[in-house]
C-alpha cells in the first residue's frame, strides 16, 4: 500500500511539534514506535483533527526520521481505527463516528444536566466568577477561532459547574461521558464553528440562572438543552436539509 505525500496543512505550526519531542524518548523504542506515539498524541489532543491529512514527508521532517518508519506508524494507526487510507487521497485522521457521538451526547445531556442542577446550590461566588472568566476567554477565542483551545475551555467551564455534585455515581457517569468524547476526538466546533457563538451565549444564560437561584429543574433543563443544542448542530451539519426548489418564473 503506497501512502500519498501530497500537499497538506503545515504541521510545524502545532504547539510543541519539534524534533525535540523525540529527543528524550525511550531509546528502546524503534523509530516507527516513536512516530506512532508522536502522531497518536496529536490525534488524541485534537491537534490533528478528524479528516486531517497525514503527509509522510512533512511528518518525517518534523520528527527527524525517514518516511519508512512514518509509513509503518500510519499503518499501525490504521489498524487501530485512528487513521484511514484512500487511494488517490492518502492517509488522514479517521472521521468522527456519528452514531457513537450521538449516543454519548444524549447520555451526557441527561447526567450532566442533573449533576449541574445538584451542584448549582453549592457553587460559591469564586467558582461562579471563575466560570464567567472562562466563558469570557471563550468569547475572546471567537475572534481568532481555535477549535482545540475552545473545546478545552468548554470542558473547564462545564467542570466548574458540575464538580460540586455530591452524588458520586452521577459525577462518575458525567466524567465517563467526557472521557468518551475525548476518545472520540470530539471537537464539534471544528465541524460547526457557528455553534461556538451560540454556546458562549447559552453559557451566560446558564450562569444567570444559577446566580439567580433558579429552580433546580430549570437549571437541569437549561444544561440539558445546551448539550443537545450542540448535538443538533452537529447532526444538521452531517445531514443538511435539501435546498428548496427555485420558484417557477
Amino acid at each position: 500500500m503506497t501512502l500519498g505525500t501530497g500537499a497538506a496543512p503545515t504541521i510545524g505550526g502545532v504547539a510543541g511539534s519539534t524534533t525535540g519531542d523525540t529527543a528524550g524518548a525511550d531509546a528502546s523504542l524503534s523509530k516507527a514506535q516513536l512516530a506512532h506515539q508522536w502522531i497518536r498524541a496529536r490525534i488524541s489532543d485534537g491537534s490533528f483533527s478528524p479528516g486531517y491529512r497525514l503527509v509522510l514527508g512533512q511528518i518525517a521532517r518534523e520528527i527527524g526520521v525517514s518516511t519508512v518508519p512514518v509509513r509503518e506508524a500510519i499503518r499501525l494507526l490504521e489498524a487501530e481505527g485512528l487513521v484511514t487510507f484512500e487511494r488517490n487521497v492518502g492517509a488522514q485522521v479517521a472521521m468522527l463516528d456519528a452514531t457513537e457521538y450521538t449516543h454519548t451526547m444524549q447520555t451526557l445531556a441527561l447526567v450532566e444536566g442533573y449533576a449541574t442542577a445538584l451542584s448549582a446550590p453549592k457553587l460559591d461566588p469564586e467558582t461562579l466568577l471563575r466560570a464567567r472568566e472562562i466563558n469570557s476567554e471563550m468569547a475572546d477565542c471567537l475572534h481568532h477561532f481555535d477549535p482545540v483551545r475552545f473545546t478545552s475551555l468548554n470542558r473547564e467551564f462545564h467542570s466548574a459547574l458540575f464538580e460540586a455534585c455530591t452524588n458520586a455515581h452521577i459525577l462518575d457517569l458525567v466524567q465517563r461521558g467526557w472521557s468518551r468524547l475525548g476518545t472520540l476526538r470530539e471537537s464539534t466546533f471544528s465541524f460547526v464553528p457557528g455553534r461556538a457563538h451560540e454556546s458562549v451565549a447559552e453559557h451566560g444564560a446558564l450562569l444567570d440562572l444559577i446566580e439567580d437561584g433558579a429552580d433546580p429543574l430549570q437549571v437541569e433543563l437549561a444544561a440539558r438543552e445546551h448539550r443537545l443544542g450542540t448535538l443538533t448542530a452537529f447532526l444538521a451539519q452531517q445531514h443538511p436539509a435539501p435546498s428548496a426548489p427555485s420558484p417557477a418564473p
Side-chain angles (χ1 to χ4, degrees):
M1 175 173 68
T2 302
L3 300 174
T5 56
T10 301
I11 295 175
V14 177
S17 58
T18 66
T19 53
D21 284 358
T22 59
D26 189 336
S28 67
L29 295 176
S30 69
K31 290 180 179 180
Q33 289 172 318
L34 292 174
H36 173 270
Q37 288 186 355
W38 190 90
I39 299 169
R40 199 179 200 285
R42 281 149 184 78
I43 293 174
S44 296
D45 69 16
S47 299
F48 292 173
S49 58
Y52 187 95
R53 190 174 176 193
L54 300 169
V55 181
L56 272 68
Q58 286 188 335
I59 294 174
R61 287 192 297 273
E62 194 68 36
I63 60 180
V65 299
S66 72
T67 59
V68 174
V70 176
R71 180 179 289 108
E72 183 177 342
I74 287 177
R75 284 174 175 158
L76 290 172
L77 292 163
E78 185 180 10
E80 294 172 6
L82 294 175
V83 168
T84 58
F85 178 82
E86 294 182 30
R87 187 177 299 277
N88 300 323
V89 175
Q92 60 183 15
V93 178
M95 297 300 289
L96 192 65
D97 184 326
T99 299
E100 186 69 15
Y101 175 70
T102 297
H103 292 168
T104 299
M105 289 289 279
Q106 289 172 337
T107 303
L108 191 55
L110 292 171
V111 295
E112 186 181 14
Y114 191 50
T116 301
L118 291 177
S119 177
K122 306 180 188 330
L123 298 178
D124 56 37
E126 290 76 16
T127 300
L128 291 171
L129 177 60
R130 178 163 63 94
R132 287 277 184 196
E133 291 172 343
I134 294 169
N135 201 41
S136 293
E137 191 172 349
M138 293 176 74
D140 290 340
C141 282
L142 298 176
H143 302 298
H144 302 285
F145 193 57
D146 177 353
V148 174
R149 176 60 177 158
F150 191 90
T151 297
S152 176
L153 289 169
N154 185 56
R155 178 162 188 168
E156 285 184 45
F157 174 85
H158 285 287
S159 294
L161 298 190
F162 66 66
E163 61 189 5
C165 175
T166 55
N167 186 318
H169 298 288
I170 295 294
L171 194 57
D172 178 63
L173 290 173
V174 175
Q175 291 167 343
R176 285 172 182 266
W178 276 99
S179 295
R180 183 169 292 278
L181 288 180
T183 301
L184 290 168
R185 304 177 310 286
E186 180 270 336
S187 179
T188 308
F189 308 108
S190 298
F191 299 100
V192 196
R195 173 60 187 159
H197 292 264
E198 298 171 353
S199 185
V200 168
E202 290 169 10
H203 286 175
L206 182 57
L207 283 172
D208 288 343
L209 285 174
I210 294 172
E211 289 175 343
D212 292 343
D215 181 81
L217 180 58
Q218 189 177 2
V219 172
E220 178 182 352
L221 292 176
R224 183 189 305 175
E225 289 304 314
H226 168 66
R227 176 68 52 198
L228 292 176
T230 300
L231 173 59
T232 298
F234 171 79
L235 294 177
Q237 192 276 340
Q238 296 291 298
H239 306 287
S243 302
S246 301

